[in-house]
Amino acid sequence: MANETVENGEGKANIRNANLTSSLDLSTSLDHSVQTRIFKIIVIGDSNVGKTCLTFRFTGGSFPEKTEATIGVDFREKAVEIEGEKIKVQVWDTAGQERFRKSMVEHYYRNVHAVVFVYDVTKMASFQNLKTWIQECNGHRVSPSVPRVLVGNKCDLIDQIQVPSNTALKFADAHNMLLFETSAKDPKESQNVDSIFMCLACRLKAQRSLLYRDVEREDGRVKLSHEPEVKSNCPC
Ligand SMILES: Nc1nc2c(ncn2[C@@H]2O[C@H](COP(=O)(O)OP(=O)(O)OP(=O)(O)O)[C@@H](O)[C@H]2O)c(=O)[nH]1
Ligand SMILES: [Mg+2]
């Protein structure tokens, strides 16, 4: 079974369980003329590390003048095109403060497609707490095949950096994650912020294309001519 979030032609989002052994379900969920795939990406980390600002930068292209602690979750979406397929990247900007997240945690991890762990390069504690965030994620039965990346934010505050790059890199390697060090605030870093989410979207697209081709081999009735065997242009 694979969980797929799709949107129909009338713009109504619905979450469905696409049983990949059913040729009918599969052909429906892949009919690109009617439906757009949605990739759910959650952004996790301590309060104040800049999760809201990073998601704002990616979806709106700017740095918010003023933010308040996120309560529960804020959804932000961006339509992107990867190798000719239109995809909606649905970013879940989660709350870092325990009191604003506890009733929502189950929802964060349900049917998640990718996870972004954020720390603040000027706050060692936010880096040390990553272990707890990873434990929480693992505790919610998130499959190891769900891609995860690590983001060190606030790199514009050059004089205040507490987390050395090589320490972060070792941690990322040990947890099989890519590391991005960036700044939601610095406009020169905006492409770098985009590449965090685009990289994940590319990986998800590539993963899912493979999955569908595997099914095609197992079930001769399914013909997926619109999933061509092309090499991914994923930047990472
Ligand atoms: N200098 C600098 N400040 C930043 C950056 N990103 C965020 N901030 C500031 O950090 C503070 C917290 O940012 P938020 O994005 O609200 O933090 P958050 O992680 O969403 O916090 P919660 O919603 O409480 O979990 C704000 O004052 C932002 O202006 C950055 O890249 N550089
Ligand atoms: Mg926030």
Side-chain angles (χ1 to χ4, degrees):
M1 297 276 270
N3 295 317
E4 188 85 346
T5 311
V6 296
E7 182 168 276
N8 66 23
E10 291 157 355
K12 289 180 196 150
N14 60 312
I15 295 173
R16 56 197 295 273
N17 253 335
N19 184 340
L20 293 184
T21 58
S22 153
S23 57
L24 183 66
D25 267 1
L26 187 61
S27 55
T28 307
S29 66
L30 288 175
D31 184 348
H32 294 193
S33 62
V34 191
Q35 295 175 327
T36 304
R37 290 201 281 173
I38 299 178
F39 292 156
K40 170 182 172 180
I41 301 180
I42 58 171
V43 184
I44 298 280
D46 274 11
S47 180
N48 225 41
V49 295
K51 299 181 296 297
T52 296
C53 293
L54 284 166
T55 59
F56 235 87
R57 174 63 82 187
F58 171 62
T59 56
S62 61
F63 182 74
E65 296 260 305
K66 193 172 174 294
T67 58
E68 281 172 8
T70 303
I71 297 172
V73 65
D74 285 327
F75 301 102
R76 302 204 168 82
E77 274 193 353
K78 183 164 172 171
V80 301
E81 190 166 323
I82 302 171
E83 290 165 353
E85 181 185 351
K86 287 191 172 64
I87 287 168
K88 264 197 186 152
V89 178
Q90 183 183 75
V91 184
W92 286 47
D93 170 23
T94 71
Q97 284 191 45
E98 178 61 21
R99 63 193 168 128
F100 292 146
R101 70 195 311 277
K102 55 177 181 248
S103 61
M104 290 295 296
V105 178
E106 291 296 326
H107 300 279
Y108 294 162
Y109 292 104
R110 188 173 302 149
N111 298 334
V112 68
H113 295 126
V115 185
V116 177
F117 292 101
V118 185
Y119 65 96
D120 175 346
V121 295
T122 71
K123 285 226 168 51
M124 184 52 97
S126 71
F127 179 73
Q128 287 162 342
N129 286 339
L130 287 169
K131 280 189 189 139
T132 317
W133 294 115
I134 292 170
Q135 271 167 13
E136 180 189 88
C137 179
N138 293 339
H140 284 81
R141 298 175 303 283
V142 175
S143 159
S145 66
V146 167
R148 303 160 186 216
V149 295
L150 186 59
V151 177
N153 188 37
K154 307 198 188 181
C155 283
D156 56 290
L157 301 173
I158 297 166
D159 303 338
Q160 299 170 41
I161 290 178
Q162 287 184 2
V163 183
S165 294
N166 57 354
T167 307
L169 201 52
K170 269 190 206 148
F171 183 87
D173 280 350
H175 291 87
N176 198 22
M177 293 191 267
L178 278 181
L179 171 68
F180 292 83
E181 289 180 305
T182 193
S183 161
K185 188 172 189 177
D186 182 354
K188 292 196 292 298
E189 283 289 310
S190 107
Q191 256 190 336
N192 200 10
V193 173
D194 284 0
S195 65
I196 298 166
F197 297 95
M198 289 306 289
C199 172
L200 286 170
C202 286
R203 275 214 216 171
L204 289 168
K205 180 174 158 60
Q207 261 185 7
R208 272 136 210 278
S209 298
L210 280 172
L211 187 64
Y212 296 142
R213 282 201 293 277
D214 286 349
V215 170
E216 185 180 18
R217 259 178 250 131
E218 281 169 20
D219 182 350
R221 291 171 302 159
V222 183
K223 187 73 199 115
L224 297 171
S225 54
H226 46 281
E227 287 285 346
E229 297 223 11
V230 288
K231 274 200 166 165
S232 170
N233 289 330
C234 178
C236 43

